[in-house]
Amino acid sequence: GAVVSQHPSRVICKSGTSVKIECRSLDFQATTMFWYRQFPKQSLMLMATSNEGSKATYEQGVEKDKFLINHASLTLSTLTVTSAHPEDSSFYICSARVHGVVLFQETQYFGPGTRLLVL
Amino acid sequence: AQKITQTQPGMFVQEKEAVTLDCTYDTSDQSYGLFWYKQPSSGEMIFLIYQGSYDEQNATEGRYSLNFQKARKSANLVISASQLGDSAMYFCASTINAGNMLTFGGGTRLMVKP
């Protein structure tokens, strides 16, 4: 399957600082990437859909000024958690879609995730 | 809106036995995809198997097979010959044609006993 990398894998930061997480598709071009958040023992919650060259589409309840998404190229999307607070501590995971003709058939491949701890 | 239901929060299976993880979905769309992902303790989501709504045959990938019953809106994952490395969280997910966004179920934690 397609390979997606994510960096960093783990980050600890102080409250009030900003943290950038990178998501890269290594062996394919991804016009669309997705960002999810997962709390312990819960399922994945979609935060936003990131489209190359355009603004991200955020899910209801997700603050776009707090979670800045930039999809600058076909292989890179970044999520910046601005002015992080302890409640932002979570597991953030991205996915990239292998572009196909029929949307619902396209498999999303996930990165390894980033564990963020805000002190 | 779609809804994916996984009714088994946790399952035990003996090593080398088969296990079925349940998944039901609720959609009015005719075109949709059904996916299963495995999430080990490391956190990575590993794609296992895909079934399209128009596929007449059940999908199979090695030891994984998907028991697709369209009329009942169920897409159960069957793992044959369980291995200790199969211990993980398993998520059922679906897409619809309009946006390819995945909707996930709540997950099932599978524990394989030696």
Side-chain angles (χ1 to χ4, degrees):
Chain A
V3 179
V4 177
S5 71
Q6 203 170 326
H7 178 80
S9 59
R10 186 182 298 268
V11 59
I12 301 173
C13 68
K14 293 182 179 180
S15 185
T17 60
S18 294
V19 175
K20 180 185 282 189
I21 303 170
E22 292 186 350
C23 178
R24 293 181 185 272
S25 57
L26 297 186
D27 53 359
F28 66 99
Q29 292 184 332
T31 53
T32 304
M33 290 183 174
F34 302 87
W35 287 95
Y36 297 84
R37 184 174 181 176
Q38 185 179 29
F39 291 106
K41 298 185 180 180
Q42 293 188 22
S43 189
L44 278 71
M45 181 187 75
L46 179 66
M47 298 175 66
T49 302
S50 170
N51 295 299
E52 187 266 336
S54 64
K55 291 183 179 180
T57 303
Y58 290 82
E59 294 301 300
Q60 191 173 7
V62 178
E63 299 175 59
K64 58 182 178 182
D65 293 331
K66 175 128 184 102
F67 299 100
L68 300 179
I69 291 173
N70 187 321
H71 195 149
S73 76
L74 287 172
T75 59
L76 173 64
S77 175
T78 60
L79 168 68
T80 301
V81 183
T82 61
S83 187
H85 290 285
E87 57 266 30
D88 298 325
S89 298
S90 188
F91 185 63
Y92 293 88
I93 190 166
C94 70
S95 72
R97 186 177 77 195
V98 179
H99 183 70
V101 176
V102 183
L103 283 177
F104 71 85
Q105 293 180 341
E106 297 172 5
T107 299
Q108 289 184 29
Y109 292 93
F110 285 80
T114 298
R115 296 193 186 277
L116 172 63
L117 176 61
V118 185
L119 301 176
Chain B
Q2 298 179 89
K3 184 176 181 182
I4 307 295
T5 304
Q6 294 180 252
T7 57
Q8 307 151 313
M11 289 274 290
F12 282 97
V13 65
Q14 197 68 41
E15 190 179 9
K16 299 182 184 178
E17 291 185 351
V19 63
T20 298
L21 306 184
D22 295 341
C23 172
T24 58
Y25 56 94
D26 183 11
T27 180
S28 56
D29 276 29
Q30 295 301 311
S31 304
Y32 52 88
L34 297 159
F35 300 79
W36 277 91
Y37 287 87
K38 172 184 178 182
Q39 187 179 42
S41 57
S42 62
E44 184 176 4
M45 294 287 283
I46 302 168
F47 166 69
L48 296 178
I49 196 166
Y50 162 82
Q51 178 88 40
S53 58
Y54 295 116
D55 296 339
E56 294 184 351
Q57 290 192 326
N58 287 339
T60 60
E61 287 287 348
R63 293 187 299 112
Y64 305 108
S65 60
L66 201 151
N67 184 357
F68 180 45
Q69 298 186 43
K70 192 170 182 177
R72 297 178 62 181
K73 295 189 176 179
S74 74
N76 299 339
L77 176 70
V78 180
I79 305 175
S80 62
S82 297
Q83 302 172 356
L84 294 178
D86 293 335
S87 294
M89 282 290 290
Y90 288 81
F91 290 98
C92 178
S94 75
T95 56
I96 57 172
N97 197 39
N100 187 237
M101 292 184 296
L102 277 173
T103 299
F104 284 89
T108 295
R109 179 168 295 281
L110 177 66
M111 291 153 281
V112 181
K113 297 186 290 183

